Amino acid sequence: MMRVAAMLAAGLLAAGCAVEDGDRAGAGGQSAGGGNSVTAAPPPAAFVGRWRSDAPATFAGEGYRTETSGGETEYRADGSLSYRARLAIFGERLPAGGLPFTVRATGEWRLADGILTERLAKVDVTPEPGYAGLAALTADLARDIAARPPARADLVLIEGGRMTLRDRATGRVAAYRRIDGAPGSGAVLSGLGATGPGATGG
């Protein structure tokens, strides 16, 4: 169970508090957006708020495949964040429809020099109805996710109600849309100065 939980935790974090499969960075793990020298921080309406990524993120390893979908992240002005998503695990010895879970997490964020850092502090994993008997797995999974190092992503683009992030560890790209109805800035912002008092860079 512990190895499965660790693999699932890696899959969820690779999906990046929601960074999804997509274009990869060039050789050597280079990331787009890191060379910008813009120092002005974005207005709060451009970043603070609720964001959703509708395309599912997948991760495979150790004979299992995970799929994270419906990921929503709320970035608050005080540097805290909340996250929720549906996580399903598929494997040869598992039900055909996979094992589905709801993941909820809280933590903190920081945006500095165009790099978004997210650190999860508390994670709750709950099996969906009809999948009892997974308490040990969900406890291991929640603990492993919370123990992961902070996720770091380049803010490639934020314009109006759209945002694109590129995960620094994997090069995976995720596109998000604002779902809280707050107005966007209308300006293209990347390589931003520091904002958000929460997580520290790693």
Side-chain angles (χ1 to χ4, degrees), residues 19-104:
V19 176
E20 299 169 8
D21 291 329
D23 298 332
R24 295 199 175 260
Q30 305 258 335
S31 300
N36 295 329
S37 59
V38 177
T39 57
F47 185 80
V48 172
R50 291 176 59 212
W51 297 86
R52 180 182 178 98
S53 188
D54 293 316
T58 60
F59 177 84
E62 299 187 19
Y64 296 93
R65 179 176 64 86
T66 66
E67 181 176 283
T68 306
S69 58
E72 295 183 5
T73 306
E74 180 177 3
Y75 300 101
R76 302 185 186 93
D78 65 358
S80 65
L81 68 83
S82 61
Y83 171 75
R84 66 170 294 160
R86 183 179 191 268
L87 175 68
I89 174 172
F90 303 88
E92 186 175 323
R93 298 180 181 179
L94 299 179
L99 294 178
F101 304 88
T102 298
V103 179
R104 292 181 176 86

Side-chain angles (χ1 to χ4, degrees), residues 9 12-13 17 83 87 102-107 119-126 138-148:
L12 182 64
L13 270 293
C17 218
Y83 171 75
L87 175 68
T102 298
V103 179
R104 292 181 176 86
T106 57
R119 184 192 307 273
L120 299 183
K122 180 181 178 182
V123 179
D124 292 314
V125 181
T126 307
T138 55
D140 289 343
L141 177 55
R143 182 175 57 249
D144 286 354
I145 293 172
R148 290 273 161 177

Side-chain angles (χ1 to χ4, degrees), residues 1-19:
M1 284 294 192
M2 286 294 291
R3 291 191 67 191
V4 174
M7 188 279 301
L8 283 170
L12 182 64
L13 270 293
C17 218
V19 176

